[in-house]
Amino acid sequence: MESLKSEKDKVCGLVLHQLSRYWPDIDKTVIETSVSDALEAVRINFECVPDKRFHRDDGAVIFPYMSVQWMIFLYRLSRAIFKHGGVHTPKEADMVYYLNKAMHANDWFYEVDLPPHFLCEHPLGSVLGRAEYGDFLVVYQGTTVGGNRRDGKLFYPVLGSNVVLYANATVLGDTCVGNNVIFSADSYVMNERIPDNCIVFGKSPGLVIKEKSENEMKAYTAHIWDWRRFKG
C-alpha cells in the first residue's frame, strides 16, 4: 500500500489490465485522462476517515488495489469519465461501471452523484439509485436506495448528511431523510419523512423512530468520520 502521490501509472495499468479481460476495444486515453481526477476524489474521500486502514502514520492516504477502496475508486473513475465526456458519454464509463459490478456485486451507476465522503463495508449487493445524497454516506451489504411509482410518477429519495444504512436497509420512493440518521439492519422505508438525528427501525408504515441529539448521532458515527476536521 502506498500514498496517492505517485499512483497514477500503476492504477492506469491495473485498470486497463482488468478491463482487457472483458473488452478488447478500450480507449486508453480516456482512462488515463480521468484517473488523476478519480484519485484526487479518493484522497478527499478518505483523508477524514479515522480507520488506520486508510492512511499511514504520517497521515498520507494509502490505496490498496483491493477491498472497499478499489470499489469506491472504480465508481469515482466511471463518474470522472462520464463528467469528462460532455454530451456523449464515452463507452469506457460503462466498461468501468460494469467492471465494478462484476468484481464487487454492487450497482453504483456513474450518473448517480454519490457524495464526496462515501464509505461502505461489505457492500455486496448494494444498489444506490438515482436519489439525492447528502455528504457522509455509509452503506453496508444488501442496502437499496431507489425509486417507487405513485400516481403515475416516479419518486426517488432525498437523503441528508451523515446517513448510515446497515445491512439490507431499504429506502424507496418519496422519502425525505434528515441529517444524522441511522437505518437499522433490515429496515424498510417507503414514502416517509424521517427527521434529523434519529435511529430508524422496522418497516413502513410501522416504523419505530428513536430520536436522539445531534451530538449523540455524531458520537455513533465518530468511528467512521473524524468530525473534528469538519467544525462549522
Side-chain angles (χ1 to χ4, degrees):
M1 296 186 292
E2 301 179 10
S3 75
L4 299 185
K5 294 178 180 178
S6 59
E7 291 292 275
K8 180 179 177 181
D9 290 344
K10 293 180 183 179
V11 170
C12 278
L14 181 56
V15 171
L16 290 169
H17 172 74
Q18 291 179 341
L19 290 172
S20 70
R21 318 312 279 178
Y22 296 91
W23 297 280
D25 58 338
I26 305 157
D27 187 334
K28 295 182 180 180
T29 302
V30 171
I31 302 297
E32 292 167 352
T33 300
S34 298
V35 162
S36 292
D37 283 356
L39 286 173
E40 176 61 12
V42 165
R43 184 193 65 78
I44 293 169
N45 199 145
F46 298 149
E47 66 180 352
C48 61
V49 177
D51 191 327
K52 295 302 182 183
R53 292 179 298 170
F54 292 85
H55 18 74
R56 302 185 314 211
D57 291 341
D58 64 2
V61 173
I62 55 178
F63 188 55
Y65 303 126
M66 59 188 70
S67 73
V68 297
Q69 286 101 320
W70 192 249
M71 300 178 202
I72 292 173
F73 166 76
L74 289 177
Y75 162 76
R76 300 289 185 202
L77 178 59
S78 66
R79 177 77 179 168
I81 295 169
F82 166 67
K83 291 173 70 175
H84 287 165
V87 177
H88 303 290
T89 303
K91 66 182 185 302
E92 283 73 20
D94 286 301
M95 292 175 176
V96 175
Y97 159 68
Y98 282 113
L99 174 66
N100 203 9
K101 193 172 184 179
M103 291 182 66
H104 303 121
N106 59 31
D107 195 337
W108 305 342
F109 190 46
Y110 53 77
E111 290 188 11
V112 176
D113 188 10
L114 297 181
H117 301 96
F118 163 63
L119 283 178
C120 52
E121 193 70 30
H122 314 298
L124 297 176
S126 60
V127 179
L128 301 178
R130 296 175 185 271
E132 180 179 327
Y133 297 92
D135 209 357
F136 305 104
L137 173 69
V138 183
V139 303
Y140 284 73
Q141 64 268 30
T143 56
T144 299
V145 179
N148 181 63
R149 288 193 179 276
R150 188 174 65 180
D151 299 326
K153 184 178 179 181
L154 184 59
F155 292 88
Y156 285 96
V158 176
L159 277 62
S161 178
N162 190 30
V163 171
V164 181
L165 292 93
Y166 280 106
N168 300 311
T170 298
V171 179
L172 299 175
D174 186 18
T175 295
C176 185
V177 179
N179 299 323
N180 308 310
V181 175
I182 293 175
F183 292 94
S184 66
D186 292 321
S187 55
Y188 181 92
V189 180
M190 184 166 66
N191 302 334
E192 300 274 7
R193 296 295 178 266
I194 308 299
D196 292 343
N197 307 314
C198 68
I199 304 175
V200 180
F201 301 87
K203 302 181 185 301
S204 292
L207 294 177
V208 175
I209 298 175
K210 295 188 176 181
E211 296 192 35
K212 304 286 184 178
S213 70
E214 180 178 352
N215 287 339
E216 285 177 307
M217 296 307 297
K218 289 291 180 66
Y220 284 135
T221 53
H223 67 290
I224 304 173
W225 308 111
D226 185 357
W227 297 117
R228 296 169 299 180
R229 302 190 61 161
F230 296 98
K231 291 181 180 179

